[in-house]
Amino acid sequence: MTDPDRAAVRRDITAALEAAFEQRHAVLDAIVEAEDRPAAVAAIAELLSVPAIGAEAVLGMAFDRLTVSARRANAAELEDLNSQLTFTQTDRPASTAETLRLRAFNESDADLFAARTADVGAAGDGSGTPAADITEEISSANSRMHNEEAVWLVAIEGDSKVGIVFGELSGGEVDVRIWIAPEHRKHGYGTAALRRCRSELAAYFPGVPMVVRAPSS
């Protein structure tokens, strides 16, 4: 992930905390009424109109972040991040994740996975081993997805397939990797896919920590 991408994600979190301060009573009610953690994250995200990564930060927020000095520091950080990212709308418009969508990987996406494999050279399961035949790779992925051990999502912008999000269950965590096709890089699609996929993967793997193992491109 590039420095601007990191700043954009950090802004999502900081902005969510700022919104939570302003609606702290409603946030507390949403948490108390939620059945479990995924439900609480979803409720906070809807209440504050923030991405899942921001809602998760609100839910995990320590009480000392509610003090006056902490709120001032958070507001100052948000102002600074906003000033750093004023270019985003024009230079990296996709990073806002407003138009990117994700759908489940299927057999028609073999060409996209083949392009990814030619670019990366490694197997799709995140093991780091050399890739096998594309048909074998996809068959193996389908088996893992059927067994609820993996989720592959295709990132789509308009009519174009711009990349793939890989979620592989390993050691009690979801190993998240994002690949963006070379011709679609440097537009913010990696950041957008990261934002979108957190809520999608949380629905597939409720309560399982997600770890981004490799930079998005």
Side-chain angles (χ1 to χ4, degrees):
M1 186 182 298
T2 65
D3 287 340
D5 287 341
R6 292 189 184 93
V9 172
R10 179 60 192 166
R11 183 179 61 177
D12 280 347
I13 294 173
T14 307
L17 294 177
E18 185 76 2
F21 297 146
E22 297 174 359
Q23 300 188 54
R24 51 192 175 275
H25 299 298
V27 169
L28 181 58
D29 286 343
I31 294 172
V32 170
E33 293 171 5
E35 181 68 25
D36 51 24
R37 183 182 180 86
V41 169
I44 293 169
E46 181 177 2
L47 173 66
L48 303 179
S49 298
V50 299
I53 188 173
E56 290 172 355
V58 170
L59 188 59
M61 182 172 55
F63 285 124
D64 62 3
R65 296 297 299 271
L66 296 172
T67 62
V68 173
S69 61
R71 297 202 306 272
R72 287 173 179 163
N74 192 83
E77 181 180 6
L78 179 58
E79 182 177 356
D80 180 59
L81 287 166
N82 281 333
S83 67
Q84 291 180 42
L85 295 168
T86 53
F87 67 90
T88 299
Q89 290 291 340
T90 54
D91 290 354
R92 295 170 64 82
S95 63
T96 61
E98 292 180 356
T99 57
L100 188 84
R101 60 189 177 90
L102 301 176
R103 65 157 172 77
F105 182 95
N106 60 53
E107 299 293 336
S108 70
D109 302 314
D111 58 338
L112 184 65
F113 180 70
R116 172 263 172 201
T117 303
D119 181 44
V120 177
D125 61 4
S127 63
T129 58
D133 175 78
I134 297 299
T135 302
E136 293 179 18
E137 287 274 355
I138 293 176
S139 176
S140 176
N142 284 334
S143 178
R144 295 195 302 280
M145 286 187 273
H146 177 75
N147 293 330
E148 299 183 348
E149 298 172 350
V151 173
W152 287 11
L153 303 169
V154 176
I156 299 174
E157 178 73 15
D159 295 327
S160 301
K161 297 187 286 189
V162 302
I164 306 175
V165 176
F166 301 89
E168 299 277 346
L169 190 61
S170 176
E173 297 178 334
V174 180
D175 180 352
V176 181
R177 291 166 294 114
I178 298 171
W179 175 81
I180 301 299
E183 65 271 24
H184 294 295
R185 292 174 185 169
K186 309 304 181 184
H187 296 289
Y189 289 119
T191 297
L194 178 61
R195 291 178 175 179
R196 288 290 189 198
C197 80
R198 286 180 178 273
S199 57
E200 296 274 350
L201 293 177
Y204 282 105
F205 303 107
V208 182
M210 286 177 281
V211 180
V212 179
R213 297 293 186 185
S216 57
S217 301

